[in-house]
Amino acid sequence: VDTVRITFPEGLNVQEVAQLLEENGVCTAEDALAAADSDELDGFDLISAISNGDERYYKLEGYLFPDTYEFYRDEDPVDALSRLVRNTDRKLTQDMRDQIAAMDMTVDEILTIASIIEAEAADEEDMYIISSILHNRLENGVETGTAQLGCDSTVYYPYRTAELAPE
């Protein structure tokens, strides 16, 4: 059987994951993106719990765990992406899920904030500072007049860089 091993580094978005799958002969990027925006992976509780799936660029954004995986060439894109989602589901331990619930947040909200922090931070030390700022803005934003997160990465998210974002 013809297989390929692909490493997905941290920080990739769904479009970049799809491109890597295509470059390695797993499936076309177009098919991977269609699968990432479909309801075919709603069998995972993690995915079916997404409340705003129709409003997102890609439903699976933030749910494709960065790691090294083995794929078949010409694999069904749903099967390929399910491997990454399954890994995300495994990495989110019950203890983590309990902590998220204790914060009165959803897994989706935490994954979104984590993605923003990662995009904004230069290094791990920055992540702690940015996390603190964002959580303060979320908790006290309306009272302090900072109801918006104010992050550049949220403005140009689908474009990956400010230069590629339309005016």
Side-chain angles (χ1 to χ4, degrees):
V1 176
D2 196 11
T3 61
V4 62
R5 189 178 194 95
I6 305 173
T7 298
F8 299 95
E10 292 178 4
L12 295 186
N13 65 20
V14 170
Q15 294 166 328
E16 293 165 323
V17 167
Q19 189 60 44
L20 269 176
L21 290 170
E22 181 172 285
E23 288 170 6
N24 287 278
V26 177
C27 60
T28 67
E30 182 180 341
D31 289 346
L33 292 173
D37 210 26
S38 73
D39 296 333
E40 294 191 59
L41 291 166
D42 282 0
F44 288 96
D45 291 341
L46 190 63
I47 303 303
S48 64
I50 298 172
S51 62
N52 64 347
D54 294 340
E55 300 169 13
R56 303 163 77 101
Y57 284 102
Y58 295 102
K59 188 173 188 174
L60 296 185
E61 192 70 71
Y63 290 86
L64 304 176
F65 199 85
D67 208 339
T68 300
Y69 300 89
E70 191 91 13
F71 298 97
Y72 296 109
R73 292 199 189 271
D74 299 318
E75 186 169 348
D76 181 279
V78 173
D79 292 341
L81 293 178
S82 70
R83 225 174 260 120
L84 283 75
V85 172
R86 189 175 298 109
N87 199 11
T88 301
D89 198 33
R90 274 196 302 262
K91 300 288 184 181
L92 284 168
T93 65
Q94 188 57 51
D95 185 46
M96 290 175 172
R97 293 170 199 249
D98 292 344
Q99 288 177 26
I100 291 168
M103 293 170 58
D104 197 29
M105 296 185 85
T106 66
V107 169
D108 192 53
E109 290 169 333
I110 289 295
L111 288 175
T112 300
I113 290 172
S115 295
I116 294 169
I117 292 167
E118 183 177 53
E120 291 288 324
D123 55 35
E124 190 174 335
E125 187 177 322
D126 276 357
M127 288 182 179
Y128 293 105
I129 295 167
I130 292 166
S131 176
S132 176
I133 290 167
L134 293 183
H135 283 281
N136 284 340
R137 287 179 182 171
L138 288 170
E139 189 174 321
N140 306 312
V142 175
E143 297 166 12
T144 62
T146 56
Q148 296 181 349
L149 294 180
C151 297
D152 290 340
S153 62
T154 62
V155 174
Y156 63 80
Y157 151 75
Y159 309 103
R160 301 305 282 169
T161 66
E163 294 79 33
L164 295 175
E167 289 184 32

